[in-house]
Amino acid sequence: MLARREFLRTSLLATGAAVCSKPQMLVAASASDSRIEILLDEPLGVISPNIYGHFTEHLGGVIYDGIWVGENSSVPNVNGIRKRLVDELRKIKAPVVRYPGGCFADSYDWRDGVGPADKRPRRTNFWGGTEPNHFGTNEFMQFCSLAGAQPYLAANLRSLPAEEFYRWVEYCNSPAGSTTLADLRAASGSAEPFHVRFWGVGNESWGCGGNFTPQEYAVEYRRFVTWLPHYGKGQDLFLVASGPYSEDSSWTRGFFEELLRKGPDQLNSVDGLSVHHYAWNLSRGRTTDWDKGKGNSLEFEPVDWYELLREGQRMEEIIGNHWRALGEYDPQHRIKLVVDEWGPWYRPGSEATPGNQLEQIPTLRDAVFSAMTMDIFNRHQEKVAMANCAQLINCLNSLYLAHEDKFCVTPVGLVFGMYAAHQGGQSLRTVISAPPARYDRDGKTAAFWGLQGSASLRGKDLVLTVVNPHVSEPRETAIDLKGARVASASATTLSSTDIHAHNTFAEPAALVPQSEPLTLNGPAFTYVFPPASVTRLSLSLA
Ligand code: AHR
C-alpha cells in the first residue's frame, strides 16, 4: 500500500489536473489509463428511492437498544425511540424500512405486539431468549414516521393462518372507527390508519419460513393473497412473494409455474419477488460450509478484501438471471425484484457490544462493498424496485452501532449518506473502462474489475459515484460528459490508507468522508480516484 504521504502527493497532483483549466489537463486526460463516459442523452429510467431501503428484525441488539430504548431511558428518545437514530435516518433520506424479520417474521404473532404494553405476552424469540414485545406494530409505525420512511411488513406464512395476515392488514389500514381492530389501533394512540403499502408474504419460505418447495409455497401464496382488504383508490397493496436465495432460479421458475397453473391472471397477485444475497464465503473455494467459509470483519488481508467484493459482485448476475427467469412468465416485466436482504456476513467475534447476535463492525471494506452494490442497483433500476440492507443497526452490514448512550455511524452509514443524492434521479448509461485490480489468490493471479460506478441526473444536478477497489493504486481517470458544461462541482471521498479503517464508540469519526470543491472548465477532465475508495462527484450542469 502507498505510504499516506505518497498517496496524498499523487492524489493532489492529479486533482490539480482536474481543477486547473490549463492545456495540460487535456494531456493528463489522454494519459489516463481509465475512462468514464456519461451518456447524458441515454437515460435508463428513474432510480427508485426505495433501492436505498433498510431492514430491522427482532434479533440481537437491532430493536432493543438499537431502536427502542424505552420512554424512561436516559438516552435521548422520542416516545421510547432512540432520537439520534431517527435524526440520522432523516439525514440520509431513509425511504423504507422492512420489519419484523427475517426469520423472526414467520414465528411472530402481530397481536402479541399491540395493545397496552404491560399486557403484552413474553414469547420465545426465533433467535433465542425472551421477546418482551415492548416494540410492536404501533411503535414501528412511529419509528417509520419519525424517520420519514415507509413501512414494509413481512407477514407470517409459516405459523399463522391466512386470516391473520388479513387481520394485520385490517389493523394497519382500516379507516378510523370502521372496525374493531381500527379501534384497538386508536386505543394505542393511532386513530388514523397507517396506510401500509408494502407487504412481504412470508420470508425465505424455502428455509426458516416453512421449508417449502417453490410449488408448495406458490399454493400457500395463492391462498394468502386471494383476498385482502382494500380501502379505496390509491391504496393498493404491493405484495412481495418470498423469492430465491442468491442464484437459485429454480425457485423463481418453480414458484411461477405452480402459481400460473390456475391461469395467467394469477400474475396480478404478485408485485415484487424478493431476492436475498449475502457475501459470506471468503474461503477461496475451499469450502461451502456456512460456518467454516466465513471470515473476520476486522482482521483481513487484501485477498479477503477482494474476495468479499467478488462475492458481492455476484449481485449483478443474480439480478440479471432472476429478471430473465421472471420474463419467461411476465414478459411485460410488471413484477419487479425486491432485494430485501443484502450485505456481507462474517463469523461471530467482532461485536461492538459483546453478546449482540450477528453484530459485526463494518470497515472501509464494507463501505466499498455497499457502494458497489448500490451502484449495481442504480444501473439496474428498471429491475429493482426496492432493496433493504441487512440490517440497519447493531447487526450485519449496519449503518449504525449503538449501545445505551453510545452511538456511531459506520462506514456503511456514511456511504448511504453519500449515495442518497441518487434517489429519484434518472439513471444514465455510463461506460467505464479501467485496468483490472490484480491480486494474489493462493499463488495465482486473480483479477477484479478496476473501476465501477453509476450516474444519475435530476434537473441540472449530475451525480457520479465511483468505486476504486484497488487496495493500493489510485486510478487516474478521464471523465467525459459528452459536451455538457459544468457550472460548479464538488467531490466527496471516503477512503483511508488503512483498509481496515472503521468507526467505534471510542472513535466515532475515525473515518469520515472528505469534501472539496472542484473547478472544471470543460466537459472532459481527469480525476484521480484514490485507492480503496468511494467517491461522489456532484456536478451542477450549466
Ligand atoms: O438477516 C439475518 C437473517 O438472514 C434473516 O433473519 C433471514 O431472513 C436471513 O437468513
Side-chain angles (χ1 to χ4, degrees), residues 431-471:
V431 183
I432 302 182
S433 61
R438 296 190 193 282
Y439 65 102
D440 181 84
R441 192 178 195 253
D442 298 326
K444 292 196 181 123
T445 301
F448 189 69
W449 48 254
L451 219 53
Q452 271 299 359
S454 63
S456 68
L457 183 67
R458 198 170 28 188
K460 296 217 171 266
D461 294 329
L462 176 62
V463 177
L464 171 68
T465 46
V466 176
V467 166
N468 176 6
H470 203 292
V471 294

Side-chain angles (χ1 to χ4, degrees), residues 55 57 59 102-104 127 203-204 208 276 278 341 345 358 390-391 396:
F55 171 34
E57 177 165 12
L59 192 185
C103 293
F104 177 85
W127 294 97
N203 167 75
E204 297 195 347
C208 62
H276 292 180
Y278 287 103
E341 290 186 31
W345 191 326
L358 302 196
Q391 301 192 13
L396 299 170

Side-chain angles (χ1 to χ4, degrees), residues 22 39 163 250 287 304 374 407 447 483 499:
K22 294 178 193 145
L39 307 175
E163 186 194 356
S250 69
T287 179
D304 305 310
M374 293 193 276
F407 189 94
I499 58 174

Side-chain angles (χ1 to χ4, degrees), residues 314-327:
R314 282 168 54 195
M315 181 66 83
E316 191 139 32
E317 215 180 316
I318 289 168
I319 289 172
N321 287 346
H322 290 303
W323 188 248
R324 266 189 298 282
L326 260 180

